[in-house]
């Protein structure tokens, strides 16, 4: 039987040294990463977050597992495509100059779709922040996901917070060596898997992995896998909270996204203060529920004290909520001293008003309308986009060629993009030049047009010439329209260019 249990039978006693309440030890954790504690040029103080258990910790593990599963599975998802196109569901094929997402194929000329996706992602992040604070940082950011994974490995090899602190302080021996070597070895394996899988999004994954381990993969795959292995190891294993505090711009940007109605991990000071140690059988009247045990500080992977208020260092991971709820259960007080709440709610309760959440506000409506509007435009454009496109390059050296007949010739290189999965015959016309005659060295000209065969998912190219009498043209530069029409389905693509008539006084080429 513990000594304190024997003494408790004799009646109320003073708290033992180091206790915040009966049976609750006060942690020696210090918020070394809070703005008030750290110095800019001071050496980083190691943070040893303690393991916590509860709803939010389970939720984080669920999200970590889901996100890691998506990351490692998606490169191996297949999607049947005709011809030589890769059968990978999601692939950024720089060699073939394509981006594949299931049935969607993005060409270099359609890079605006990728730009639109990045804009949607930014607006979505703004909306999520206005509603739920730094929910991205706390649950979905790659730095958070991989840091959680690395800390879990650290726990497996070195134990919980106090054990890790003692291990770091003790001299090197076999026990310390094998634990440190094992931890860093697993970190390196996770980092290599991270870098290797990321490269798989830019190559056909199955063939890449076969070539990677047989040293037949492209050199770029090894270079980028090595770079991403190194950055994952350093960021998640060594720098951790410093990435969020110093390197990431989002903590500063989020200040413009939040207002007093945004949900964030919050210490409810209206309930917790005044704080202090609590003796067994003492009344809770006239004091707050916070017993100043500092377990929230010990659990924080960012090394701050949530009781200091909203801070840019806080990633809203909610682990302090689980740590505090566990203590509240032990001291027989309601959970939720630290919880997702708003500053406005605290002020309402202090004023004796009823608390509530206003998710529909001016800024959230603005972000939501913007998100839906841009997303709708992109979707409509994607659904209605043409599978036929044309790009025209007019010769610039020389701009025109005067002929012995008195006519002037302009040359054009026409590239037809067939985005369909079947071969198509397309008819090419050039209109706008009065009396202009179409010529081609490679194809027969019929009715002042040529028919070009474009392979599936390919670019077909032809060189065309337009010959015209400059006397019949009013201006030095005449706009022309190059029209390409599919013979099978009638789909049309157009591109603009110009016809240069030149100066009448220039000499003509007698060899034409």
């Amino acid at each position: 039987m513990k000594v304190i249990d024997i003494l408790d039978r004799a009646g109320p006693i003073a708290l033992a040294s180091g206790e915040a309440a009966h049976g609750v030890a006060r942690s020696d954790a210090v918020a070394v990463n809070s703005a008030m504690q750290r110095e800019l040029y001071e050496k980083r103080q190691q943070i040893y977050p303690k393991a916590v258990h509860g709803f939010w910790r389970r939720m984080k593990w669920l999200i970590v597992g889901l996100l890691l599963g998506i990351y490692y599975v998606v490169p191996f998802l297949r999607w049947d495509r005709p011809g030589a196109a890769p059968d990978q569901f999601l692939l950024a094929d720089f060699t073939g100059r394509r981006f594949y997402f299931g049935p969607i194929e993005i060409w270099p000329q359609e890079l605006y779709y990728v730009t639109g996706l990045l804009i949607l992602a930014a607006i979505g992040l703004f909306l999520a922040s206005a509603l739920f604070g730094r929910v991205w940082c706390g649950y979905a950011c790659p730095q958070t996901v991989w840091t959680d994974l690395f800390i879990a490995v650290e726990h497996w090899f070195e134990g919980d917070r106090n054990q890790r602190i003692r291990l770091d302080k003790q001299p090197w021996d076999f026990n310390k060596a094998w634990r440190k070597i094992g931890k860093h070895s697993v970190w390196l394996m996770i980092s290599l898997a991270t870098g290797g899988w990321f490269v798989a999004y830019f190559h056909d994954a199955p063939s890449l992995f076969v070539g990677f381990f047989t040293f037949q993969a492209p050199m770029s795959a090894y270079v980028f896998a090595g770079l991403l292995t190194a950055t994952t190891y350093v960021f998640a294993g060594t720098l951790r909270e410093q990435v969020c505090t110093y390197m990431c711009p989002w903590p500063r940007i989020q200040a413009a996204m939040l207002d007093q109605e945004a949900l964030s991990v919050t210490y409810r000071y209206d309930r917790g203060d005044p704080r202090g140690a609590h003796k067994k059988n003492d009344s809770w009247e006239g004091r707050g529920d916070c017993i100043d045990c500092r377990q929230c500080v010990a659990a924080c992977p960012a090394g701050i004290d949530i009781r200091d208020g909203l801070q840019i260092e806080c990633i809203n991971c909610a682990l302090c909520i689980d740590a505090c709820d566990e203590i509240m259960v032990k001291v027989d007080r309601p959970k939720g001293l630290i919880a997702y709440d708003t500053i406005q709610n605290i002020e309402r309760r202090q004023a004796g008003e009823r608390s509530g959440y206003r998710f529909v506000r001016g800024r959230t409506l603005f972000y939501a309308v913007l998100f839906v509007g841009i997303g709708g435009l992109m979707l409509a454009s994607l659904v209605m986009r043409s599978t036929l496109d044309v790009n025209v390059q007019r010769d610039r050296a020389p701009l025109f060629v005067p002929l012995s007949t008195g006519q002037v010739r302009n040359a054009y290189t026409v590239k037809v993009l067939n985005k369909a999965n079947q071969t198509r015959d397309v008819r090419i016309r050039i209109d706008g030049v009065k009396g202009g005659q179409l010529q081609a060295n490679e194809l027969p000209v019929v009715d002042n047009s040529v028919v070009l065969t474009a392979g599936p998912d390919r670019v077909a190219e032809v060189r065309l010439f337009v010959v015209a009498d400059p006397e019949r043209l009013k201006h030095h530069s005449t706009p022309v329209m190059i029209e390409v029409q599919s013979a099978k389905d009638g789909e049309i693509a157009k591109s603009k260019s110009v016809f240069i008539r030149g100066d009448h006084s220039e000499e003509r080429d007698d060899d034409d």
Side-chain angles (χ1 to χ4, degrees):
M1 184 176 293
K2 296 181 180 179
V3 174
I4 194 167
D5 291 335
I6 298 174
L7 294 174
D8 282 347
R9 294 183 178 180
I13 60 171
L15 289 174
S17 177
E19 284 196 336
H22 174 67
V24 178
R26 176 180 285 111
S27 174
D28 61 353
V30 178
V32 296
N33 193 43
S34 66
M36 295 179 292
Q37 293 283 350
R38 68 175 186 266
E39 295 289 340
L40 183 60
Y41 299 104
E42 184 181 14
K43 182 180 178 181
R44 173 184 180 250
Q45 297 187 50
Q46 181 69 34
I47 297 172
Y48 299 89
K50 64 169 288 188
V52 296
H53 309 281
F55 173 81
W56 295 109
R57 177 66 272 181
R58 291 191 296 271
M59 181 65 67
K60 280 177 64 65
W61 280 131
L62 178 64
I63 295 174
V64 165
L66 177 64
L67 293 176
L68 288 175
I70 293 173
Y71 179 76
Y72 288 114
V73 169
V74 165
F76 292 92
L77 296 179
R78 301 288 93 189
W79 187 274
D80 290 334
R81 294 190 178 89
D87 291 333
Q88 188 159 312
F89 179 84
L90 179 61
L91 177 66
D93 184 7
F94 285 178
T95 303
R97 292 179 294 179
R98 301 285 192 283
F99 179 81
Y100 299 98
F101 185 81
I104 301 173
E105 180 179 344
I106 304 299
W107 289 58
Q109 294 83 355
E110 299 172 325
L111 193 62
Y112 49 83
Y113 285 114
V114 178
T115 304
L117 283 176
L118 294 176
I119 293 173
L120 279 181
I123 296 173
L125 188 56
F126 296 163
L127 176 59
S129 299
L131 290 171
F132 308 113
R134 292 179 66 180
V135 64
W136 162 262
C137 298
Y139 298 92
C141 175
Q143 174 67 14
T144 297
V145 171
W146 266 270
T147 299
D148 261 1
L149 189 58
F150 274 43
I151 291 176
V153 172
E154 197 169 60
H155 283 168
W156 295 337
F157 279 95
E158 299 181 4
D160 204 359
R161 182 176 187 275
N162 293 335
Q163 293 171 295
R164 298 202 306 278
I165 293 175
R166 287 196 298 269
L167 185 68
D168 282 354
K169 289 181 178 180
Q170 73 181 45
W172 282 93
D173 56 11
F174 176 77
N175 177 63
K176 182 174 182 177
W178 83 261
R179 292 180 184 278
K180 293 289 185 181
I181 292 173
K183 177 186 74 173
H184 286 277
S185 298
V186 176
W187 281 2
L188 282 171
M189 286 190 289
I190 295 173
S191 300
L192 180 59
T194 303
W197 252 267
F198 187 80
V199 173
Y201 283 88
F202 298 86
H203 300 269
D204 185 60
S207 58
L208 173 69
F209 278 97
V210 172
F212 194 92
F213 292 105
T214 58
F215 301 102
Q216 296 178 347
M219 181 55 66
S220 60
Y222 293 103
V223 171
F224 282 98
L227 288 174
L228 289 164
T229 297
T231 53
T232 303
Y233 177 81
V234 172
F235 287 176
T238 304
L239 295 180
R240 292 186 181 174
E241 81 289 343
Q242 291 184 299
V243 174
C244 305
T245 303
Y246 297 111
M247 300 174 65
C248 180
W250 180 238
R252 280 81 183 170
I253 297 174
Q254 67 141 358
M257 305 296 110
L258 302 180
D259 56 23
Q260 290 191 328
E261 296 283 0
L263 274 174
S264 293
V265 175
T266 306
Y267 167 67
R268 290 170 167 167
Y269 55 85
D270 59 313
R271 172 186 155 186
D273 291 344
R275 67 185 79 155
H278 180 265
K279 298 178 182 179
K280 186 178 181 181
N281 296 331
D282 277 3
S283 173
W284 289 91
E285 294 294 330
R287 56 154 297 144
D289 285 351
C290 179
I291 60 174
D292 200 21
C293 63
R294 293 204 291 268
Q295 296 299 325
C296 56
V297 180
C300 180
I304 65 167
D305 189 340
I306 190 64
R307 298 174 299 174
D308 293 336
L310 297 178
Q311 303 161 67
I312 63 170
E313 297 83 4
C314 177
I315 62 173
N316 275 215
C317 65
L319 295 179
C320 54
I321 297 179
D322 286 336
C324 185
D325 284 349
E326 186 177 357
I327 299 302
M328 290 296 102
V329 171
K330 289 182 178 180
V331 298
D332 197 25
R333 300 300 294 169
K335 294 181 179 181
L337 177 58
I338 301 175
Y340 276 99
D341 205 348
T342 69
I343 299 299
Q344 191 65 48
N345 266 346
I346 294 177
E347 294 179 356
R348 289 191 187 108
R349 288 193 294 268
Q350 287 181 324
E353 301 174 3
R354 185 177 179 180
S355 61
Y357 302 104
R358 291 181 58 238
F359 294 113
V360 180
R361 311 189 301 276
R363 68 174 61 204
T364 59
L365 278 175
F366 173 75
Y367 294 142
V369 169
L370 201 59
F371 185 89
V372 172
I374 295 176
L377 288 174
M378 286 183 58
L379 182 61
S381 173
L382 193 63
V383 170
M384 296 185 298
R385 71 173 180 164
S386 171
T387 59
L388 189 67
D389 200 0
V390 59
N391 180 269
V392 179
Q393 296 176 343
R394 197 173 95 41
D395 280 8
R396 296 183 179 276
L399 288 173
F400 61 92
V401 175
L403 306 179
S404 58
T405 59
Q407 296 175 306
V408 173
R409 185 181 70 189
N410 283 203
Y412 305 85
T413 300
V414 179
K415 296 182 179 181
V416 178
L417 286 70
N418 178 20
K419 303 174 187 176
N421 293 323
Q422 63 272 356
T423 300
R424 302 162 91 178
D425 290 334
V426 296
R427 184 173 296 277
I428 305 175
R429 297 183 180 88
I430 299 182
D431 299 323
V433 181
K434 187 175 182 180
Q437 296 295 316
L438 185 66
Q439 297 178 354
N441 295 335
E442 307 167 15
L443 300 171
V445 178
V446 179
D447 294 333
N448 213 28
S449 66
V450 298
V451 175
L452 177 68
T453 300
D457 196 30
R458 291 290 184 270
V459 177
E461 181 177 322
V462 64
R463 186 167 171 80
L464 301 177
F465 306 92
V466 175
V467 177
D469 183 356
E471 299 291 343
R472 302 182 64 180
L473 302 177
K474 296 181 179 180
H475 305 288
H476 176 76
S477 175
T478 303
V480 298
M481 179 68 70
I482 294 87
E483 180 183 283
V484 176
Q485 183 174 21
S486 171
K488 184 176 182 180
D489 52 30
E491 187 173 354
I492 296 176
K494 297 181 180 181
S495 180
K496 293 180 180 180
S497 188
V498 295
F499 183 90
I500 305 297
R501 72 173 186 178
D503 190 341
H504 298 275
S505 65
E506 293 189 31
E507 296 182 1
R508 297 177 175 90
D509 284 351
D510 294 334
D511 58 344
D512 286 289

